[in-house]
PDB file of all heavy atoms in Angstrom:
ATOM      1  N   HIS B 263      30.171  27.793 -18.807  1.00 95.00           N
ATOM      2  CA  HIS B 263      30.276  28.951 -17.896  1.00 95.00           C
ATOM      3  C   HIS B 263      30.340  28.522 -16.434  1.00 95.00           C
ATOM      4  O   HIS B 263      30.788  29.284 -15.581  1.00 95.00           O
ATOM      5  CB  HIS B 263      29.073  29.882 -18.078  1.00 95.00           C
ATOM      6  CG  HIS B 263      29.118  30.659 -19.346  1.00 95.00           C
ATOM      7  ND1 HIS B 263      29.261  32.022 -19.376  1.00 95.00           N
ATOM      8  CD2 HIS B 263      29.059  30.270 -20.635  1.00 95.00           C
ATOM      9  CE1 HIS B 263      29.267  32.439 -20.629  1.00 95.00           C
ATOM     10  NE2 HIS B 263      29.135  31.380 -21.419  1.00 95.00           N
ATOM     11  N   LEU B 264      29.832  27.346 -16.151  1.00 95.00           N
ATOM     12  CA  LEU B 264      29.806  26.849 -14.773  1.00 95.00           C
ATOM     13  C   LEU B 264      30.351  25.425 -14.745  1.00 95.00           C
ATOM     14  O   LEU B 264      30.321  24.721 -15.764  1.00 95.00           O
ATOM     15  CB  LEU B 264      28.368  26.825 -14.230  1.00 95.00           C
ATOM     16  CG  LEU B 264      27.664  28.150 -13.943  1.00 95.00           C
ATOM     17  CD1 LEU B 264      26.203  27.886 -13.598  1.00 95.00           C
ATOM     18  CD2 LEU B 264      28.321  28.907 -12.799  1.00 95.00           C
ATOM     19  N   THR B 265      30.801  25.017 -13.564  1.00 93.00           N
ATOM     20  CA  THR B 265      31.207  23.614 -13.398  1.00 93.00           C
ATOM     21  C   THR B 265      30.052  22.863 -12.725  1.00 93.00           C
ATOM     22  O   THR B 265      29.147  23.497 -12.153  1.00 93.00           O
ATOM     23  CB  THR B 265      32.454  23.505 -12.512  1.00 93.00           C
ATOM     24  OG1 THR B 265      32.108  24.034 -11.215  1.00 93.00           O
ATOM     25  CG2 THR B 265      33.613  24.301 -13.096  1.00 93.00           C
ATOM     26  N   ALA B 266      30.119  21.545 -12.778  1.00 91.00           N
ATOM     27  CA  ALA B 266      29.044  20.743 -12.175  1.00 91.00           C
ATOM     28  C   ALA B 266      28.886  21.018 -10.668  1.00 91.00           C
ATOM     29  O   ALA B 266      27.754  21.194 -10.198  1.00 91.00           O
ATOM     30  CB  ALA B 266      29.288  19.262 -12.443  1.00 91.00           C
ATOM     31  N   PRO B 267      30.004  21.093  -9.890  1.00 90.00           N
ATOM     32  CA  PRO B 267      29.809  21.404  -8.449  1.00 90.00           C
ATOM     33  C   PRO B 267      29.138  22.763  -8.229  1.00 90.00           C
ATOM     34  O   PRO B 267      28.372  22.924  -7.278  1.00 90.00           O
ATOM     35  CB  PRO B 267      31.245  21.412  -7.899  1.00 90.00           C
ATOM     36  CG  PRO B 267      32.014  20.529  -8.828  1.00 90.00           C
ATOM     37  CD  PRO B 267      31.415  20.749 -10.179  1.00 90.00           C
ATOM     38  N   GLN B 268      29.411  23.714  -9.116  1.00 93.00           N
ATOM     39  CA  GLN B 268      28.755  25.025  -8.973  1.00 93.00           C
ATOM     40  C   GLN B 268      27.247  24.914  -9.205  1.00 93.00           C
ATOM     41  O   GLN B 268      26.455  25.539  -8.507  1.00 93.00           O
ATOM     42  CB  GLN B 268      29.363  26.022  -9.973  1.00 93.00           C
ATOM     43  CG  GLN B 268      30.758  26.490  -9.596  1.00 93.00           C
ATOM     44  CD  GLN B 268      31.293  27.505 -10.592  1.00 93.00           C
ATOM     45  OE1 GLN B 268      31.379  27.239 -11.793  1.00 93.00           O
ATOM     46  NE2 GLN B 268      31.658  28.671 -10.100  1.00 93.00           N
ATOM     47  N   VAL B 269      26.875  24.104 -10.198  1.00 93.00           N
ATOM     48  CA  VAL B 269      25.441  23.894 -10.475  1.00 93.00           C
ATOM     49  C   VAL B 269      24.778  23.255  -9.258  1.00 93.00           C
ATOM     50  O   VAL B 269      23.669  23.618  -8.872  1.00 93.00           O
ATOM     51  CB  VAL B 269      25.243  23.020 -11.739  1.00 93.00           C
ATOM     52  CG1 VAL B 269      23.774  22.682 -11.943  1.00 93.00           C
ATOM     53  CG2 VAL B 269      25.797  23.715 -12.967  1.00 93.00           C
ATOM     54  N   LEU B 270      25.491  22.336  -8.635  1.00 89.00           N
ATOM     55  CA  LEU B 270      24.934  21.671  -7.449  1.00 89.00           C
ATOM     56  C   LEU B 270      24.741  22.654  -6.297  1.00 89.00           C
ATOM     57  O   LEU B 270      23.763  22.561  -5.555  1.00 89.00           O
ATOM     58  CB  LEU B 270      25.832  20.512  -7.021  1.00 89.00           C
ATOM     59  CG  LEU B 270      25.812  19.314  -7.976  1.00 89.00           C
ATOM     60  CD1 LEU B 270      26.816  18.260  -7.539  1.00 89.00           C
ATOM     61  CD2 LEU B 270      24.422  18.697  -8.051  1.00 89.00           C
ATOM     62  N   LYS B 271      25.671  23.609  -6.186  1.00 90.00           N
ATOM     63  CA  LYS B 271      25.525  24.618  -5.121  1.00 90.00           C
ATOM     64  C   LYS B 271      24.233  25.420  -5.328  1.00 90.00           C
ATOM     65  O   LYS B 271      23.529  25.752  -4.380  1.00 90.00           O
ATOM     66  CB  LYS B 271      26.721  25.579  -5.138  1.00 90.00           C
ATOM     67  CG  LYS B 271      27.941  25.063  -4.415  1.00 90.00           C
ATOM     68  CD  LYS B 271      28.933  26.199  -4.288  1.00 90.00           C
ATOM     69  CE  LYS B 271      30.332  25.683  -4.019  1.00 90.00           C
ATOM     70  NZ  LYS B 271      31.343  26.750  -4.105  1.00 90.00           N
ATOM     71  N   ILE B 272      23.966  25.745  -6.597  1.00 93.00           N
ATOM     72  CA  ILE B 272      22.743  26.500  -6.919  1.00 93.00           C
ATOM     73  C   ILE B 272      21.513  25.654  -6.577  1.00 93.00           C
ATOM     74  O   ILE B 272      20.551  26.138  -5.972  1.00 93.00           O
ATOM     75  CB  ILE B 272      22.760  26.913  -8.413  1.00 93.00           C
ATOM     76  CG1 ILE B 272      23.895  27.903  -8.653  1.00 93.00           C
ATOM     77  CG2 ILE B 272      21.416  27.513  -8.833  1.00 93.00           C
ATOM     78  CD1 ILE B 272      24.354  28.017 -10.088  1.00 93.00           C
ATOM     79  N   ALA B 273      21.590  24.371  -6.953  1.00 91.00           N
ATOM     80  CA  ALA B 273      20.470  23.466  -6.656  1.00 91.00           C
ATOM     81  C   ALA B 273      20.261  23.358  -5.145  1.00 91.00           C
ATOM     82  O   ALA B 273      19.120  23.366  -4.665  1.00 91.00           O
ATOM     83  CB  ALA B 273      20.733  22.097  -7.259  1.00 91.00           C
ATOM     84  N   VAL B 274      21.367  23.282  -4.409  1.00 87.00           N
ATOM     85  CA  VAL B 274      21.276  23.172  -2.940  1.00 87.00           C
ATOM     86  C   VAL B 274      20.553  24.389  -2.368  1.00 87.00           C
ATOM     87  O   VAL B 274      19.660  24.261  -1.521  1.00 87.00           O
ATOM     88  CB  VAL B 274      22.690  23.024  -2.318  1.00 87.00           C
ATOM     89  CG1 VAL B 274      22.651  23.245  -0.806  1.00 87.00           C
ATOM     90  CG2 VAL B 274      23.266  21.650  -2.638  1.00 87.00           C
ATOM     91  N   GLU B 275      20.920  25.585  -2.867  1.00 89.00           N
ATOM     92  CA  GLU B 275      20.246  26.795  -2.367  1.00 89.00           C
ATOM     93  C   GLU B 275      18.745  26.724  -2.640  1.00 89.00           C
ATOM     94  O   GLU B 275      17.921  27.086  -1.799  1.00 89.00           O
ATOM     95  CB  GLU B 275      20.834  28.059  -3.012  1.00 89.00           C
ATOM     96  CG  GLU B 275      20.257  29.306  -2.352  1.00 89.00           C
ATOM     97  CD  GLU B 275      20.601  30.603  -3.045  1.00 89.00           C
ATOM     98  OE1 GLU B 275      21.633  31.184  -2.699  1.00 89.00           O
ATOM     99  OE2 GLU B 275      19.823  31.038  -3.922  1.00 89.00           O
ATOM    100  N   MET B 276      18.406  26.222  -3.824  1.00 92.00           N
ATOM    101  CA  MET B 276      16.979  26.143  -4.176  1.00 92.00           C
ATOM    102  C   MET B 276      16.244  25.116  -3.323  1.00 92.00           C
ATOM    103  O   MET B 276      15.090  25.312  -2.963  1.00 92.00           O
ATOM    104  CB  MET B 276      16.837  25.814  -5.670  1.00 92.00           C
ATOM    105  CG  MET B 276      17.278  26.978  -6.545  1.00 92.00           C
ATOM    106  SD  MET B 276      17.402  26.561  -8.288  1.00 92.00           S
ATOM    107  CE  MET B 276      15.713  26.226  -8.697  1.00 92.00           C
TER     108      MET B 276
END
Side-chain angles (χ1 to χ4, degrees):
Chain B
H263 287 246
L264 290 172
T265 62
Q268 287 182 303
V269 174
L270 290 175
K271 277 191 199 171
I272 294 159
V274 166
E275 187 189 270
M276 291 170 66

